[in-house]
Amino acid sequence: MNGAGKPSSVKRRANNHTTPANGVKVANGAMAKTASTHFSDASFMKWTVADAVHVATHHWIPCLFALGLLFFMGVEYTLFMVPPSSPPFDLGFIATRHLHAILESSPDLNTLLAALNTVFVGMQTTYILWTWLIEGRPRATISTLFMFTCRGILGYSTQLPLPQEFLGSGADFPVGNVSFFLFFSGHVAGSVIASLDMRRMQRKELAWTFDVLNVLQAVRLLGTRGHYTIDLAVGVGAGILFDSLAGKYEDSKRKGAALTTKHDFS
């Protein structure tokens, strides 16, 4: 035995394990080792210069969006906010200020363009109903129902102020200068839905015609201050979104019908 004041000559081996209260042994540093392993196996650790060049040359669109993200982060964080007493800032209004001045000084021209725009809305409606009632393809009609329902919910939830320079017309749609939702543009979304259906049916010339008329419609709506720019942009996205959702709805119904038929014969 060692003396009381004499240090022990037996060296204990360092214990690399700890025993938690539940009795399970966990190796010291195991978590750190696991984290290190995951870090070394991370995808970006294997990137090379050749990979970066490949991304820049073959995926340049996402690269542009990445630059756009950085640019607009700088814009957003240095922007002077529009005060509550001022009208909303709209770049589309600035771009169409000359058109607005012409339409303001010529009510007859404003009425003529409004009437032509109403005819275009009638063309959209006629085509969408034709695809369902005559051709038996309900997708465009379903997407339009989805779109206008969502537009009603959003338009009522956030009711934007009517632009101060709004130029109304009795020939516009809705006819008679009745109240309407600003967000988002049903004119634009309906045209996009019709155009997408035309492309599915290989009616490309008609689709391009609708696209050109839709652009002219958007310019006219900005010139008359009938919509903000964001209303028109979201209208394009809404048309694409609800057309896609209508397609998924049809696919789900077809799959459900196929499963039902399979069970009936099994």
Side-chain angles (χ1 to χ4, degrees), residues 1-2 77-78 95:
M1 293 181 62
N2 296 326
Y77 298 151
T78 58

Side-chain angles (χ1 to χ4, degrees), residues 154-220:
L154 295 177
Y156 185 80
S157 299
T158 301
Q159 300 178 35
L160 298 174
L162 189 68
Q164 295 178 357
E165 300 176 328
F166 173 66
L167 300 175
S169 171
D172 210 344
F173 180 84
V175 177
N177 287 327
V178 298
S179 59
F180 60 95
F181 293 130
L182 283 165
F183 187 85
F184 48 86
S185 174
H187 289 66
V188 171
S191 180
V192 170
I193 289 171
S195 175
L196 290 173
D197 185 86
M198 293 168 185
R199 283 181 165 78
R200 272 193 301 273
M201 301 305 295
Q202 300 302 313
R203 298 164 179 166
K204 295 184 179 180
E205 293 81 5
L206 190 57
W208 279 112
T209 301
F210 263 56
D211 290 341
V212 171
L213 292 175
N214 201 10
V215 171
L216 295 176
Q217 170 181 248
V219 172
R220 182 222 155 223

Side-chain angles (χ1 to χ4, degrees), residues 26 58 66 72 107 115 162 189 220 237 243 247 257:
V26 179
H58 291 79
F72 284 108
L162 189 68
R220 182 222 155 223
D243 176 77

Side-chain angles (χ1 to χ4, degrees), residues 75 205 207 249:
V75 172
E205 293 81 5
Y249 173 80

Side-chain angles (χ1 to χ4, degrees), residues 227-241:
H227 273 295
Y228 294 104
T229 301
I230 193 172
D231 304 331
L232 306 176
V234 174
V236 175
I240 297 171
L241 171 64

Side-chain angles (χ1 to χ4, degrees), residues 103 105-114:
L103 295 177
S105 62
S106 179
D108 291 339
L109 178 60
N110 181 40
T111 299
L112 174 62
L113 294 181

Side-chain angles (χ1 to χ4, degrees), residues 23-84:
V24 179
K25 292 185 177 181
V26 179
N28 287 338
M31 293 181 64
K33 183 178 180 181
T34 302
S36 176
T37 301
H38 285 306
F39 184 78
S40 62
D41 291 339
S43 176
F44 76 93
M45 293 294 291
K46 302 172 185 177
W47 291 355
T48 63
V49 175
D51 293 330
V53 173
H54 177 81
V55 169
T57 54
H58 291 79
H59 302 284
W60 57 271
I61 293 179
C63 291
L64 287 179
F65 281 124
L67 293 175
L69 168 66
L70 297 176
F71 173 76
F72 284 108
M73 283 177 63
V75 172
E76 181 179 5
Y77 298 151
T78 58
L79 192 67
F80 290 102
M81 301 293 287
V82 178

